[in-house]
Amino acid sequence: MDSPQDSSPQDSPVLPAVSEEAPREPILTLPVALTAYIVLLAVIHLRVLLPPEIENWTIDVFGFIPKRYDSSLLNLQIPGGAGAKVWTFVTYSLLHANLTHLGFNVLWLLPFGSALARRFGAIRFFVFLAVTAAAGALAHLVTHEHAVAPMIGASASVSGAMAAAIRFAFVRGSFLSFSRSDADTAAKVPALPLSRALRDGRVVGFLAVWFGVNIIFGVGAIGVDAETTSVAWQAHIGGFFAGLLLFALFDPVPRVRSDVADASSQDVSDRI
């Protein structure tokens, strides 16, 4: 260390103090596609500010009503006509009953949807959400053939995103592993083959908890009328199975070979 007499004020200019800090990572960074989807849900939810008759018309036209498809009721007049039989398979997922309903769906979507949007890219991500929403509507239609109450909510799509994400979430370096990488790298680790994933204890545990919580308590798509509010858990399951089974059709990341999967998924060995 230099002694005081080795330098003097005349010899050395006085420099302003500078505090060097490591660059700070944002607390929560969301991919553009997911941010756009959440903003879209929030903007659409502003419909609650409309007069009641217009809001009810919006739900009738864009909500999913199984009674539309009841061929025995030819004279039943439901707003939306024949076109609503097509678009409501997806548009119902963009409507929510209240802020709590919307907030729950967004909260569940943040971790799983974020990883999926980074992995799929915007176009695949949006198409995937639409496909899982349609799968949820189909499951609801099969189990509620004569229901008149509209079903709304993004829960089927959220469930599908969760199911797709667990195909790679526990692989070493991914976002639910013990040795996770940065967000972009974690989202693009090779996924396990479905048969291998279903033998992973962590995946099986996740499935057990998800199905248990969903069936017992339920979160998400509900009827609009306060007296008939109920959880459309069949739609959640329909979206979940669609996400789990159709993941490979959307996944742009080459899958790991089955003989490598066992080694790549063991992310706890380094911690023993």
Side-chain angles (χ1 to χ4, degrees), residues 239-264:
F240 191 91
F241 273 115
L244 188 68
L245 299 176
L246 300 179
F247 166 79
L249 298 180
F250 291 86
D251 190 20
V253 180
R255 281 191 291 173
V256 65
R257 300 195 317 270
S258 58
D259 59 337
V260 179
D262 291 322
S264 65

Side-chain angles (χ1 to χ4, degrees), residues 24-54:
R24 294 181 178 179
E25 291 289 336
I27 295 176
L28 180 63
T29 58
L30 297 179
V32 174
L34 178 59
T35 302
Y37 181 68
I38 292 174
V39 169
L40 176 64
L41 295 180
V43 170
I44 290 176
H45 191 64
L46 293 177
R47 77 174 205 288
V48 298
L49 301 178
L50 297 173
E53 60 274 13
I54 298 179

